[in-house]
Amino acid sequence: MRESQKEYADDNEKGIHIINIKAIEDIGYVQSDGMLLNSLEADRETGCKHGIFFKDGQRKVDYILAFTYKKSGSRTPNKKNHHNNSVHNLHSPKDDHHLPGGGGDLEAMEAEPKMDYHEDDKRFRREEYEGNLIETGLELERDEETKLHGVGFVKIHAPWNVLCREAEFMKLKMPTKKVYQINRTQGLMQKLSSFIHKISEPIQPKVAGLRPQTVKHLSYPFSREKQHLFDMSDKESFFDSKTRSSIVYEILKRTTCTKAKYSMGITSLLANGVYSAAYPLHDGDYDSEAEANDRKLLSDEWASYSAFYKYQPIDLVRKYFGEKIGLYFAWLGVYTQMLIPASVVGIIVFLYGCATVDENIPSMEMCDTRYNITMCPLCDRTCNYWKMSSACGTARASHLFDNPATVFFSVFMALWAASFMEHWKRRQMRLNYRWDLTGFEEEEGMVKDHPRAEYEAKVLQKSLKKEYRSKEKQQHVPEDNPNKWKQRVKTAMAGVKLTEKEKLTWRDRFPAYLTNVVGIIFMIGVTFAIVFGVIMYRISTAAALAMSSNPNTRANVRVTVTATAVIINLVVILILDEVYGAIARWLTQIEVPKTDKTFEERLIFKAFLLKFVNAYTPIFYVAFFKGRIVGRPGDYYYIFQSFRMEECAPGGCLMELCIQLSIIMLGKQLIQNNLFEIGIPKMKKLIRYLKSKRQSYKDHEEHLKKKQRYEEDYDLEPFAGLTPEYMEMIIQFGFVTLFVASFPLAPLFALLNNIIEIRLDAKKFITELRRPVAVRAKDIGIWYNIIRGVGKLAVIINAFVISFTSDFIPRLVYLYMYSPDGTMHGFVNHTLSYFNVSDFKLGTEPSQPVDLGYKVEMCRYKDYREAPWSLNKYDINKDYWAVLAARLAFVIVFQNLVMFMSDFVDWIIPDIPKDISEQIHREKVLMVEVFLKEEQGKLQMLETWKEHERKKGENCNSQSPGLSRSQRGSSSSMYSHRVDV
């Protein structure tokens, strides 16, 4: 034991925290014999079907562990010793010279080349971890002679007994032999359903099992004791590739490596570079004509742009990628379908505006040169007086989006959002029934979430600090060193994690929480500062263009400034989106959440908050602040005492809001969602290909070999989660609903984008990404609450847009309170106030007062103020308060009415379809019947055995009445044995 202590101390001095293997064997820990095969022989492609199977061509590869190694720098184990050797043999005493501190001859170690202790440490951890995997029942095969330079692979296969054991642990629902008839609609509804199916047949994907199901296998959580209940007619396909890989991944997360100072699971091993990647394999090539597989079928029928008009094969997507990804594409499909009626209504509203533009009296009055209304300058000194008729084009264009139909469209979109949420809940419930997820919450609660690698490392750091402090306090207290060493080894080998003894409290996380709050506030402040900078650009550019000698430039100042400012906003939004995504991830990482689920939820919240503020702050400014804090001629408000706040056009800011919204929305969709998603993965793939080609060019013969499946998948981009996919769709949902009153064509552009987006995402999952691990999920998680919150916020924002940004309320007030003839004639004149040019402050009057050809004495500006000849000149008049009261009243009435209607739609549409609830209830009844029949069968078998034994006993008694007591006892024991069987 003292020798073990000495070796442990030597290892600590070298900085390698590895428990001595010989000492572990001395206390009785012996690893079981498991075969770790090496596929290092020639002709690797023969019988292994390009890496999808083991070398024997029979056992399928369920998972891959990839690792990097240095061929020249570190000493890899001898291939002859590795081939067909057990893990126990790998760690036998005769090989101890491969292990630092393994009890070998120090002189022999010094005679060898200097080795990389860091690489050897990784190799030792891999060896132990793979040995532990073999102990769990998995079968491994190593391949280091690959085309990828310095990359080795470990192929993992889960045999039948391991799959059955883990399926029982994970409570996976599997199909039983019991088949029942699904209740179908009868009468008129059946005929209608059949008619719709025939019509939609050309747009259905050509995949198996697409027709409506008439029968369904009863599903039940797998149990090895009840294997006779399950449909095991084909054991090869009973556990599909998705289920097999998820089972192996669960084992990988649960298995630990304890050679280090603390136990490490697969997440920790990946984070520390012991393994470079861990992933399941794709089924095969997606572009091969020879082999047929699910990946190729999905590529042809789902990930092809030529299939843009077809429905998605959601069941096949779920079968290949798992429930979580299947639910995302199902949600995206439902959202895209629901955009069709919204787009149709939006087009009708837009066409209504086009048809009535010549009948709109306010815009006709603004365009009529006979009114000869002279407007006050838009800026100090450099700007001149201008005719209101010069804004005729803006006024006519504003009517396309600012008309009574937009109010109806706002109400319609609020109800549309509520209907969309209800439709999705019903669709989600149908998918849960089809995918056997109806009782998933109870099962999910019983499965333990594994801690993240960063959490384990943080807790380890805390534990070591506490241990170091306790050592300092007890350094004068004598200790029993051998007992301490023995306890440490036993603790490590028993797999007791230090992270289970300690937990991170709010005190440990307080600096991270404070950093999060300060960081988020700072980032929001950065967004506001950038928007303020763009405002300064608009003001200064407008003043500069107004000084131009070109009359066309002066005439188009407003359009030029608006367009260029929106493009600047778009570029800034695209850049900050990427920055904020990285910052949100960093802020979440320093919080050190315990589980992946908690990490994902916190990341989503931070990223959504920052990206929401980034995308909508410029739009909020135009909608609610521009033109509100201006002042009046002779008493304008200034920024830095030199820049005058910008005003809205005479027709209002709604047209400018429409331009801002359309450019930002279309720009984000075209550039960020499509070009970035297509271009960046292809660029990364090209770089990896060129790098791999350059590294393998030295060995031309090796370069000519066909890559194995796991080598091709290693070159693909790792799956980074669904958060970016959901995020871009939620931001788009905000554009569609939040400001739809100003841009009725938003649903149409969203629909066109989503038709491409579905195929683009599908192509990315099939061709550009490694196959993700299948994750069971019953719903879309936190995203549903975010969508619901955006829908509620949309009602409030649209109420304010209609009442404060558009001229809808001022027109109503004039029509019913001030119009002399009950028409809109005189409305423009009513909204303009008078200003005496003699009241300009010194130095603010126009430099060319006679630019219009005559001397101006009175000019007009848009506001409700007293005339200069009144007693309280330029004060706010009573018309302003009447319009403000009407606006606030409209907001209250509109918000409450639409909220009530949305809640009514939510209440009247049941979350669970009636037929699905009946089928779920029927499944429970049928399952009870199955178990009752099984119990009855057991009782009948027991009665049969009893009757048989009774008759046999009677026959024996009649033949030999003098049966000895010992014979009766043996007969009784045999009877009890048969009953047990």
Side-chain angles (χ1 to χ4, degrees), residues 1-12 20 23 479-486 489:
M1 191 63 70
R2 291 178 181 176
E3 182 184 352
S4 302
Q5 281 182 291
K6 184 178 180 181
E7 291 169 357
Y8 178 75
D10 292 341
D11 285 344
N12 279 341
N20 182 266
E479 294 182 353
D480 189 1
N481 290 330
N483 290 339
K484 180 184 174 185
W485 163 247
K486 185 175 181 179
V489 174

Side-chain angles (χ1 to χ4, degrees), residues 312 314 325-335 424 427 431 435:
Q312 299 182 82
I314 293 298
I325 294 176
L327 282 174
Y328 163 70
F329 282 103
W331 174 84
L332 184 56
V334 170
Y335 172 47
W424 166 243
R427 169 68 169 162
L431 292 177
W435 297 348

Side-chain angles (χ1 to χ4, degrees), residues 338-351 409 412 744 747-748 751:
M338 289 294 291
L339 283 172
I340 295 175
S343 302
V344 172
V345 177
I347 292 172
I348 293 173
V349 170
F350 178 74
L351 294 178
F409 190 56
F412 171 81
L748 174 63
L751 173 64

